[in-house]
Amino acid sequence: MRVYDKSIIKVNANTENGKVVLNAEGPLSTVAKPILKRINRVFQEEKPISIDEDELIFSTWVPPIPGKVFDRMISAQIGAIMKKRIPDQFSIGITDRCPNRCIHCGAAGFVSGQEPTADEINNTIDQAIDLGAYLISFDGGETMLRNDLPDMVRKVDKDRAIATCFTSGFGLDEKRAQDLKDAGMYAVRVSIDSPEEKEHDRIRGRDGAYRDAINGINNALSAGILTDMFVVLSPNNIDDLDDFYNLATDLGMHEMSFYEIIAVGRWLDHEDEVISKKDVKHLERFQKEINSNPEGPRVTAFPYFMGPDMFGCFAGRRWMHVTPSSEVIPCAYTPLSFGNVKNEPLADIWKHMGKHRAYKDTAEYCMMRDPEFRRKYIHEIPEGEALPYRIDLIDVK
């Protein structure tokens, strides 16, 4: 099946024994081979969420195969080979209201403003899709506090992008889950910080947070939405991988995604309390071991996936985030603004970002873990400045 068709390169996708295989032809096919080989390795070595005669769901982070959105995903990968900057992943904060007070909240301290209207959010998403984004993530605060979330999900062009959202589970009752399903929500990511109720509630800063998460998971699953357990890993819970996975298995989840704690927001002064390179290797082995077993939820470990052995840091290169105050930042965990989408087109801001010396080259791993990057751009933020800090565009050359 042809999924990308240009005069200089054509990409085909075939399904063999329940696995997707990509191959290229044309003058640029040799250049494309390394990235296609890397993608094929993931498809070959790891289990999909589901497969039937008509459709393969590899991950909650990947569009259905085959399909128009999957074709756009491949187009974005080829675009990256041709040095075209495409924000594959676009996340947008739709509210900064939240019932929790998480100790690792990356958005804590960000400037608050008037909550964006649904029309403003829809317009920003449309601009992102026009730039090539195919994965739209509604973020918060707590997304379920926006009663108009189903209406916003419905507005996402499903021929061009999949719609997902992050939630703590608060407010994700049976009706909301069904409304989201009816609106076309592809996947819901419910945060779990500990497999133990008491510890999860402590990290979330609220009694009952664990019960809300479990109820939200059950309601999303009952509505037929792909459901992902989103786990932020720190030195405090890195040894709980098996317990997290057992919980995800018992709940019947489709996927479990690991992210790493970032020294930003309420965790800003904890630069020494992040996971190590040894932990990342442990995550790689865990992901491969779990995904070699056809049973149970699949695992996606982003510290490995966005590390030097795979695709590198996405921030400002393949990921762009808009805060609830409409500031445009490289990712949800980098408190540096390149502009406000209420004041200028998203395409112009994305162009500024790509020309900045911090983001015009590749990065092997999360830049917020890079001491030199933090020294130059994070530690130099003047005390008392509102976050995200408007980065000096003098560095754009």
Coordinates of all heavy atoms in Angstrom, one line a residue, residues 18 38 49 78 103 105 127 162:
G18 N 1.1 -10.0 10.7 CA 0.7 -9.2 11.7 C 1.6 -8.0 12.1 O 1.4 -7.3 13.1
R38 N 14.7 2.0 11.4 CA 14.4 2.2 12.8 C 12.9 2.0 13.1 O 12.6 1.3 14.0 CB 14.8 3.6 13.2 CG 15.1 3.8 14.7 CD 15.6 5.2 14.9 NE 16.8 5.4 14.1 CZ 17.2 6.6 13.7 NH1 16.4 7.7 13.9 NH2 18.3 6.8 13.0
I49 N -1.3 -3.2 19.8 CA -2.4 -3.3 20.7 C -3.4 -4.3 20.2 O -3.9 -5.1 21.0 CB -3.0 -1.9 21.0 CG1 -2.1 -1.0 21.8 CG2 -4.4 -2.0 21.6 CD1 -2.6 0.4 22.0
I78 N 9.3 11.2 6.6 CA 10.0 11.5 5.4 C 10.4 13.0 5.3 O 11.5 13.4 4.9 CB 9.2 11.2 4.1 CG1 8.9 9.7 4.1 CG2 10.0 11.6 2.8 CD1 10.1 8.8 4.2
I103 N 3.3 16.9 43.1 CA 4.6 17.4 43.5 C 5.5 17.6 42.3 O 6.5 18.3 42.4 CB 5.3 16.5 44.6 CG1 5.5 15.1 44.0 CG2 4.4 16.4 45.8 CD1 6.2 14.1 44.9
C105 N 4.4 18.6 39.2 CA 3.6 19.3 38.2 C 4.6 20.3 37.4 O 5.2 21.2 38.0 CB 2.5 20.1 38.8 SG 1.6 21.1 37.5
Q127 N -4.4 25.2 13.0 CA -3.1 25.7 12.5 C -2.0 24.7 12.6 O -1.2 24.5 11.8 CB -2.7 27.0 13.3 CG -3.6 28.2 13.0 CD -3.1 29.4 13.8 OE1 -1.9 29.9 13.6 NE2 -3.9 29.9 14.7
I162 N -5.3 12.3 14.9 CA -6.0 11.6 16.0 C -6.1 12.5 17.2 O -5.1 13.3 17.4 CB -5.3 10.3 16.3 CG1 -3.8 10.5 16.7 CG2 -5.5 9.3 15.2 CD1 -3.1 9.2 17.2

